[in-house]
Amino acid sequence: MISDLNANEPTGPLENRWTRHRFDMALVNPANRKKYRVIVVGTGLAGGSAAATLGEMGYRVKSFCFQDSPRRAHSIAAQGGINAAKNYQNDGDSIWRLFYDTIKGGDFRSRESNVYRLAEISVNIIDQAVAQGVPFAREYSGLLANRSFGGAQVSRTFYARGQTGQQLLLGAYQALNRQVAAGTVTLHPRTEMLELIVIDGRARGIVTRNLVDGSIESHTADCVVLCTGGYGNAYYLSTNAKGCNTSAAWRAHRHGALFANPCFTQIHPTCIPQSGTYQSKLTLMSESLRNDGRVWAPLHTDDSEADPATLPHDRRDYFLERRYPAFGNLVPRDIASRAAKEVCDQGHGVGPEVNGRRLGVYLDFSEAIEQMGEARIRERYGNLFEMYERITGESPYTTPMRIYPAIHYAMGGLWVDYNLMTSIDGLFATGECNFSDHGANRLGASALMQGLADGYFVVPYSVGNYLARHEPNSVPGDHAAVNSAVTAVRDRIERLLNAPDPQHPPEYFHRKLGQILWDNCGMTRDPVALREALARIPPLREQFWREVKVTGSGETFNQTLERAGRIADFMELGELMCIDALDRNESCGSHARTDHVTDEGEARRDDENYSYVAAWEFSGDTSSPNLHREQLRFEFVHPSVRSYK
């Protein structure tokens, strides 16, 4: 074990650190930038903005995505908004308040310098997006509108109805396309990264598979930037797009990139409940709905099948308002999720039974409609209400929505320092792909903020600072490390295609893994359940490699092969998630250990022993990773009991 990792944090007054750090960074002369090649993997908000900005600066950029267009990146699914400390509502917001809310929301398990930088940059992101034409909602006066999100008592969330992620992604996409037309960015859609090329300890390229024709190619560069999202799909059922995976990050991890806090996976409280065991995907309802919707469950268990529209108020339990009067329905996601689970576990759930249990509570808009009128609610949430009705056949205008928590976001990810550099020289990780800004729980509307902050405003400085220390240096295509990486990809594909006893499709194993993770390392965890998961995952992984059935070949379009490769990586990551959850002997944020709770049932941290980032190193044996620690030092905020009452 290593007691401390060097995060390369600047020192001095917190509000001056990023400004001073930027001044101290090395720069690449504009005339020399065209000599350097940069690979950016992923074209969501983090990747699209990074590639566009680096291209605008003059670097030669290769941009990769496995979708048919960057517009299909999962960032498009973010609905509710993006945070920024503009204080347009004049309700007391500030950069410092956004910083503090984010540190507190993450249960004091994130790095102060990174979080303050995020809050500081937030105001620039909105200006950038408006300049690109992102159609944010506006007040009657013409000023940009704001609404509230969980974990804050001010209105700081900018939004475009329930399509904020889509509109922001279109802004980044048009900036990216401008650079494609200018010739500084080369776009490679329908191309998946399957291996990292490391030469003399430096990340120098990637190996990809063309998902249309199956061709394997190597691409080399002076550095690599991963912007590949999170790993929520390890649970099988999640709000993530089905294509979301961890393969790029996991390839980097197996080459030495530390994986930080893998047990910190966020549960979102407002998901459409699972309707049957046949489902392979869950659908998110924006957290913004909790602005005007009230969460409740029947007070009596025998009212579970009663008509919610006519059930008297004295037979309803508005449990979030009852337990957390200061924040009410706008408590952070981890707290709202656990409260909903407890209510359902006690027999007060609603909706159809799944495996003998009713997994749902109500999100009711009847009072808001009565007070403001249906037209106003339709203006704010019309597309979300329409999506809900299409899926459930019920109109939220007349019948309360049914919601239940679901896996949504990964706070864990590749460990990075203040410059977003991983433990591999020349390999950067941005957005949800890294661990850096959210601690043990992410506040709503902060994902888009982090992705764009990293891509537009941090990575361009970090990449320049790194490249200024290295001469442009082309790697020959026949280099031994390149050939070795290509061979590793081909061998892995052959192994997937030629299992000894093929019996089951990849989804068969993914569903089993997901159930193990949800039951044992999901909304709540305990040592017995985690040890059970660690006993069950290795045999399941062995069965996968022995019995996975992948039809077709590797030389053509083959989605079964794609999924099999991603599930193989989930099998290894799932074990690491449980190892990390068992090792972190405390409760914090989304990591809720039932053996570490207060008398009131809330999470109990152990700041004396666990105020650190757990960064795991691949040892060659998935069951015995090496733990490294980055001690968290709080100079400007004092970790306290996290209360929203």
Side-chain angles (χ1 to χ4, degrees):
M1 289 186 186
I2 297 177
S3 59
D4 282 298
L5 289 169
N6 182 11
N8 293 313
E9 283 186 89
T11 57
L14 191 60
E15 60 272 17
N16 295 336
R17 287 184 176 182
W18 175 231
T19 300
R20 178 62 185 271
H21 188 70
R22 281 183 296 168
F23 178 77
D24 291 339
M25 284 175 141
L27 300 176
V28 179
N29 185 294
N32 290 333
R33 292 173 191 161
K34 61 179 178 292
K35 301 176 183 178
Y36 289 96
R37 295 171 298 161
V38 180
I39 285 173
V40 179
V41 185
T43 56
L45 287 182
S49 59
T53 307
L54 291 167
E56 177 71 28
M57 295 174 73
Y59 297 106
R60 294 164 56 197
V61 180
K62 284 187 176 183
S63 172
F64 296 83
C65 68
F66 63 72
Q67 298 92 348
D68 54 2
S69 165
R71 291 176 297 172
R72 298 290 299 275
H74 187 58
S75 298
I76 200 172
Q79 300 163 339
I82 177 171
N83 287 330
K86 286 284 196 180
N87 195 32
Y88 282 171
Q89 302 299 312
N90 198 30
D91 56 359
D93 201 10
S94 64
I95 290 173
W96 186 270
R97 188 177 294 276
L98 176 53
F99 157 70
Y100 180 77
D101 286 347
T102 305
I103 285 277
K104 176 184 175 183
D107 221 349
F108 304 95
R109 289 294 175 264
S110 49
R111 197 186 289 150
E112 280 187 333
S113 297
N114 285 70
V115 177
Y116 190 88
R117 177 177 63 187
L118 177 65
E120 181 181 356
I121 290 174
S122 71
V123 298
N124 304 115
I125 297 171
I126 302 303
D127 296 340
Q128 172 92 359
V130 170
Q132 291 173 333
V134 174
F136 287 121
R138 293 181 180 268
E139 302 287 3
Y140 178 75
S141 65
L143 288 176
L144 299 185
N146 292 123
R147 57 189 177 198
S148 299
F149 257 60
Q153 291 182 305
V154 297
S155 295
R156 64 162 67 103
T157 303
F158 295 78
Y159 63 97
R161 296 187 72 194
Q163 306 170 356
T164 313
Q166 178 182 2
Q167 298 303 325
L168 288 168
L169 185 61
L170 288 173
Y173 174 68
Q174 69 181 7
L176 179 61
N177 264 357
R178 180 175 182 273
Q179 297 310 312
V180 172
T184 62
V185 175
T186 304
L187 192 60
H188 296 266
R190 301 298 291 151
T191 305
E192 184 169 25
M193 172 184 164
L194 294 181
E195 189 59 279
L196 180 71
I197 298 172
V198 179
I199 301 175
D200 297 329
R202 291 176 55 197
R204 297 303 309 271
I206 62 175
V207 178
T208 64
R209 179 175 181 269
N210 185 303
L211 299 183
V212 177
D213 62 22
S215 58
I216 306 299
E217 296 180 341
S218 61
H219 302 267
T220 58
D222 294 287
C223 69
V224 177
V225 183
L226 297 185
C227 316
T228 51
Y231 49 88
N233 270 351
Y235 289 86
Y236 187 71
L237 284 179
S238 82
T239 66
N240 288 202
K242 288 296 291 180
C244 293
N245 64 85
T246 190
S247 289
W250 197 251
R251 294 299 98 199
H253 174 62
R254 289 179 66 95
H255 277 282
L258 303 181
F259 208 105
N261 298 337
C263 74
F264 289 169
T265 51
Q266 181 171 79
I267 316 292
H268 198 294
T270 54
C271 175
I272 298 177
Q274 182 182 2
S275 58
T277 56
Y278 56 84
Q279 270 186 263
S280 62
K281 174 79 175 68
L282 295 174
T283 303
L284 176 69
M285 289 285 101
S286 170
E287 181 176 311
S288 64
L289 294 169
R290 289 197 276 153
N291 273 284
D292 294 306
R294 299 181 69 190
V295 179
W296 63 273
L299 188 61
H300 306 293
T301 56
D302 54 3
D303 282 333
S304 293
E305 297 185 46
D307 181 0
T310 60
L311 192 68
H313 279 262
D314 61 359
R315 289 163 64 182
R316 303 179 180 186
D317 179 14
Y318 293 90
F319 54 91
L320 292 180
E321 298 172 31
R322 169 175 56 82
R323 294 179 59 173
Y324 309 101
F327 283 73
N329 296 298
L330 287 174
V331 292
R333 292 174 176 177
D334 60 322
I335 291 174
S337 295
R338 286 195 294 273
K341 180 182 185 297
E342 290 173 15
V343 165
C344 292
D345 287 348
Q346 294 165 3
H348 298 271
V350 299
E353 291 190 1
V354 178
N355 294 326
R357 300 175 59 209
R358 299 183 189 275
L359 301 178
V361 297
Y362 290 121
L363 183 59
D364 193 343
F365 292 86
S366 58
E367 290 187 18
I369 291 173
E370 181 180 346
Q371 293 169 5
M372 293 184 285
E374 183 176 318
R376 185 69 181 277
I377 297 300
R378 191 178 296 275
E379 178 185 346
R380 292 183 177 183
Y381 311 114
N383 61 311
L384 298 172
F385 278 33
E386 179 183 350
M387 180 168 63
Y388 180 88
E389 185 171 4
R390 285 182 177 180
I391 292 172
T392 66
E394 300 172 355
S395 171
Y397 296 107
T398 57
T399 303
M401 283 185 179
R402 286 177 292 107
I403 58 170
Y404 191 71
I407 291 291
H408 177 60
Y409 189 90
M411 280 80 60
L414 293 179
W415 181 87
V416 292
D417 66 7
Y418 186 73
N419 293 321
L420 305 186
M421 175 95 77
T422 70
S423 50
I424 296 177
D425 200 35
L427 178 67
F428 299 85
T430 71
E432 192 180 357
C433 183
N434 72 36
F435 86 99
S436 66
D437 291 357
H438 305 298
N441 175 63
R442 179 174 69 77
L443 293 184
S446 288
L448 305 185
M449 177 173 61
Q450 185 204 357
L452 292 179
D454 287 356
Y456 282 136
F457 298 103
V458 181
V459 157
Y461 285 96
S462 299
V463 165
N465 180 60
Y466 172 77
L467 294 179
R469 295 185 282 109
H470 298 279
E471 292 291 327
N473 182 17
S474 297
V475 176
D478 60 351
H479 191 285
V482 175
N483 291 334
S484 176
V486 170
T487 299
V489 169
R490 295 190 186 279
D491 290 347
R492 183 177 174 84
I493 290 174
E494 286 301 309
R495 188 180 177 195
L496 289 168
L497 289 168
N498 297 287
D501 185 20
Q503 296 185 31
H504 306 289
E507 285 80 0
Y508 170 86
F509 299 97
H510 194 184
R511 191 184 291 271
K512 285 183 174 291
L513 173 67
Q515 196 65 55
I516 292 172
L517 292 176
W518 179 250
D519 290 343
N520 299 280
C521 192
M523 217 176 317
T524 56
R525 301 97 186 262
D526 67 71
V528 173
L530 289 167
R531 291 190 182 97
E532 178 188 341
L534 290 171
R536 294 173 62 189
I537 291 175
L540 180 64
R541 186 169 61 240
E542 292 175 9
Q543 184 189 6
F544 168 85
W545 284 106
R546 185 175 64 251
E547 298 180 1
V548 66
K549 184 176 183 180
V550 180
T551 55
S553 73
E555 286 77 38
T556 185
F557 179 76
N558 190 337
Q559 289 188 305
T560 304
L561 176 61
E562 294 172 34
R563 288 191 289 268
R566 297 164 186 170
I567 293 165
D569 292 326
F570 281 142
M571 288 283 181
E572 296 185 357
L573 172 60
E575 184 175 16
L576 183 61
M577 291 163 63
C578 295
I579 290 172
D580 186 43
L582 183 61
D583 185 77
R584 185 168 286 276
N585 197 23
E586 65 164 351
S587 284
C588 57
S590 63
H591 173 60
R593 287 274 296 257
T594 57
D595 52 332
H596 295 283
V597 295
T598 66
D599 293 338
E600 296 177 322
E602 304 294 346
R604 178 187 285 129
R605 293 196 320 269
D606 182 352
D607 291 334
E608 181 178 350
N609 296 303
Y610 291 94
S611 186
Y612 62 75
V613 177
W616 297 91
E617 177 189 8
F618 182 69
S619 67
D621 179 358
T622 56
S623 298
S624 303
N626 299 321
L627 175 62
H628 302 253
R629 295 189 177 105
E630 179 198 336
Q631 299 294 333
L632 294 171
R633 298 172 177 84
F634 294 96
E635 301 176 61
F636 301 94
V637 297
H638 180 69
S640 58
V641 175
R642 187 167 165 244
S643 174
Y644 292 92
K645 297 182 178 182

